[in-house]
C-alpha cells in the first residue's frame, strides 16, 4: 500500500477541526474510515493489553511483530479498505510512508505544534492514483504511557535487546507521552 507516487489532489482537503467543504462523500468516507480505525485499534489494543498482562513487554514484542501486520491484513479484508500504520520514525521499514503519507505526518506535527488536540488529528482527501480516484485518510496515534515501554527513552535492557534483534534499523524510540507515535493510514478506491 505504500507504493504509490505522485498522488494528485482532486478535491478540497477536509480537516475534522475545520469546516466540511465541497464533496459530501468526503464526510461519509471519513466517518466510515473512522469506524474501520476504531475496530482495528480496538483489536490491536486488546492484543497489546493481553500480552503485557500475560508476559510483559519482551514477549509482547512478538505480538506486535506478528499480530499487528496480521490484524492490519484482516481488517483490510473485512472492510474493503487498505489499512495500515506508518510513522516519521519507523520500527518496521515495511511501514514506511509514501509521499502523501509523509506530507500528512508532517502536517499533523505542525498542527499539533499549533495547539490542536493530538487525539483529534485526522485528514481525508480524494486523490488520483494511476488514473483512479482514491479516498485516502490518516488519523494520528498519540503515545500513551504503555507505549513508552517499547517506544520510550528508557526502554528496559531485555526489551531493547529483543527490539535490536528484530529491528536492527529501529528508529521508533525516544517518544514521550503525548508525542505523535505515528498514524493509521487508510485507502479506498472510489
Ligand atoms: C511490547 C512492545 C510494544 C508496545 C508496548 C507498543 N509497541 Fe508499537 N510497535 C512495537 C513493535 C515490535 C512494532 C513493529 C510492528 C511491525 O513489525 O509491524 C511496533 C510498531 C508500531 C507502529 C507502526 C509504525 C512503525 O514504527 O513500524 C506504531 C504506529 C506503533 N507501534 C504505535 C504504538 C503505540 C501508540 C503504542 C501504545 C498504545 C505501542 N505502539 C506500544 C512494539 C510495541
Amino acid at each position: 500500500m505504500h507504493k504509490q507516487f505522485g498522488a494528485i489532489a482532486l478535491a478540497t482537503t477536509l480537516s475534522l477541526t475545520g469546516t466540511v467543504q465541497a464533496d459530501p462523500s468526503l464526510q461519509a468516507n471519513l466517518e466510515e474510515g473512522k469506524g474501520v480505525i476504531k475496530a482495528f485499534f480496538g483489536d490491536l489494543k486488546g492484543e497489546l493489553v493481553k500480552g503485557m498482562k500475560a508476559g510483559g513487554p519482551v514477549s509482547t514484542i512478538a505480538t506486535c511483530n506478528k499480530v499487528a501486520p496480521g490484524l492490519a491484513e484482516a481488517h483490510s479484508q473485512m472492510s474493503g479498505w487498505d489499512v495500515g500504520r506508518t510513522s516519521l520514525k519507523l520500527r518496521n521499514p515495511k511501514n514506511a510512508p509514501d509521499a502523501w503519507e509523509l506530507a500528512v505526518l508532517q502536517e499533523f506535527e505542525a498542527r499539533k505544534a499549533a495547539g490542536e488536540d493530538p487525539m483529534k488529528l485526522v485528514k481525508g482527501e480524494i486523490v488520483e492514483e494511476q488514473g483512479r480516484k482514491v479516498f485516502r485518510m490518516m488519523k494520528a496515534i498519540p503515545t500513551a504511557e504503555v507505549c513508552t515501554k517499547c517506544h520510550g527513552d528508557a526502554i528496559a535492557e531485555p526489551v531493547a535487546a529483543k527490539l535490536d534483534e528484530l529491528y536492527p534499523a529501529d528508529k521508533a524510540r525516544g517518544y514521550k507521552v503525548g508525542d505523535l507515535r505515528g498514524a493509521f493510514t487508510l485507502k479506498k478506491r472510489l
Side-chain angles (χ1 to χ4, degrees), residues 41 44-45 48 52 56-66 68-69 84-96 141-151 159 163 166-167 170-172 175 179 181-184:
F41 189 44
L44 265 181
K45 216 161 54 181
L48 188 71
M52 294 294 268
V58 177
S59 67
T60 308
I61 290 170
T63 308
C64 296
N65 175 247
K66 298 229 162 58
R85 296 184 302 169
T86 188
S87 176
L88 289 172
K89 291 200 296 168
L90 291 165
R91 175 148 292 164
N92 187 337
K94 284 188 191 149
N95 296 325
I141 310 174
T143 306
E145 185 70 45
V146 62
C147 319
T148 60
K149 298 249 187 291
C150 297
H151 294 294
V159 180
L163 289 171
L166 288 171
Y167 304 97
D170 185 20
K171 294 200 175 57
Y175 287 91
D179 287 348
R181 174 59 268 271
F184 291 105

Side-chain angles (χ1 to χ4, degrees), residues 8-156:
I8 305 157
L10 287 180
T12 39
T13 294
L14 177 72
S15 125
L16 269 195
T17 50
T19 45
V20 178
Q21 301 157 358
D23 192 342
S25 78
L26 267 180
Q27 184 61 31
N29 280 314
L30 209 45
E31 289 307 318
E32 194 186 324
K34 275 160 69 182
V36 175
I37 291 170
K38 206 172 162 192
F40 177 41
F41 189 44
D43 281 357
L44 265 181
K45 216 161 54 181
E47 290 297 330
L48 188 71
V49 169
K50 206 167 69 184
M52 294 294 268
K53 270 196 189 138
V58 177
S59 67
T60 308
I61 290 170
T63 308
C64 296
N65 175 247
K66 298 229 162 58
V67 174
L71 280 177
E73 183 60 37
H75 279 271
S76 298
Q77 282 181 7
M78 259 191 296
S79 63
W81 292 61
D82 196 345
V83 180
R85 296 184 302 169
T86 188
S87 176
L88 289 172
K89 291 200 296 168
L90 291 165
R91 175 148 292 164
N92 187 337
K94 284 188 191 149
N95 296 325
D98 68 10
W100 189 85
E101 290 165 328
L102 183 63
V104 176
L105 286 167
Q106 287 164 343
E107 182 191 311
F108 283 170
E109 289 291 352
R111 284 165 59 182
K112 177 174 173 283
E116 274 189 57
D117 178 355
M119 299 298 292
K120 294 187 179 150
L121 287 167
V122 178
K123 182 175 177 101
E125 193 170 27
I126 295 169
V127 300
E128 194 177 297
E129 287 177 356
Q130 287 141 10
R132 297 192 57 162
K133 272 192 182 186
V134 177
F135 177 72
R136 300 198 67 171
M137 165 175 184
M138 285 172 72
K139 186 174 193 307
I141 310 174
T143 306
E145 185 70 45
V146 62
C147 319
T148 60
K149 298 249 187 291
C150 297
H151 294 294
D153 48 16
I155 300 174

